[in-house]
Amino acid sequence: MSDPTGLIVAAVVSAAATVFGLVRARRDGRLRDGGRGDALRLSSGELGVALGERATLVQFSTALCASCPGTRRLLAGVAAGTPGVRHVEIDAEARLDLVRRVDVMRTPTVLVLDRAGRVVRRASGAPTRADVVSAVELATAD
């Protein structure tokens, strides 16, 4: 009779990987609450450009990020079509100080800032256009 230990370990690993994949797929790219309330604000000095008059879309990218170019086009398009909204792309490899401060764990990471630089929404992974537009509406609501 053979030992079923290997089969049991393979089944447990497979189940754990499936659960991890499902959870990650559900959360990937979802714009959610900024997480730190008023504690996390970014200034124009930190970003290297002036904040948008109404909102700022901040994207952290890396050279090897496969979904960063698509996210760049999406955010730039939303910014171009929405008065007072600016898109800023940050090279995560060159700005490790800011990456640590903002707690970027993967790219793209997208932050939606209100006019004062307060993070109102954030996403790890590529967000959808509908989520970005909704987050911009939230950031620009007075």
Side-chain angles (χ1 to χ4, degrees), residues 45-122:
E46 289 174 301
L47 297 176
V49 297
L51 295 172
E53 293 174 16
R54 298 178 63 213
T56 305
L57 304 173
V58 179
Q59 173 185 350
F60 287 87
S61 301
T62 55
L64 297 178
C65 170
S67 36
C68 289
T71 300
R72 177 184 314 113
R73 287 188 296 275
L74 169 72
L75 298 179
V78 170
T82 312
V85 175
R86 171 168 280 178
H87 170 238
V88 178
E89 187 169 10
I90 305 289
D91 179 355
E93 295 166 307
R95 294 295 313 273
L96 291 177
D97 59 325
L98 198 52
V99 164
R100 288 184 190 103
R101 182 168 177 265
V102 176
D103 198 25
V104 172
M105 301 305 274
R106 61 182 286 217
T107 56
T109 290
V110 175
L111 306 176
V112 180
L113 313 179
D114 65 11
R115 77 175 92 218
R118 183 176 62 94
V119 177
V120 295
R121 290 284 187 263
R122 72 179 292 143

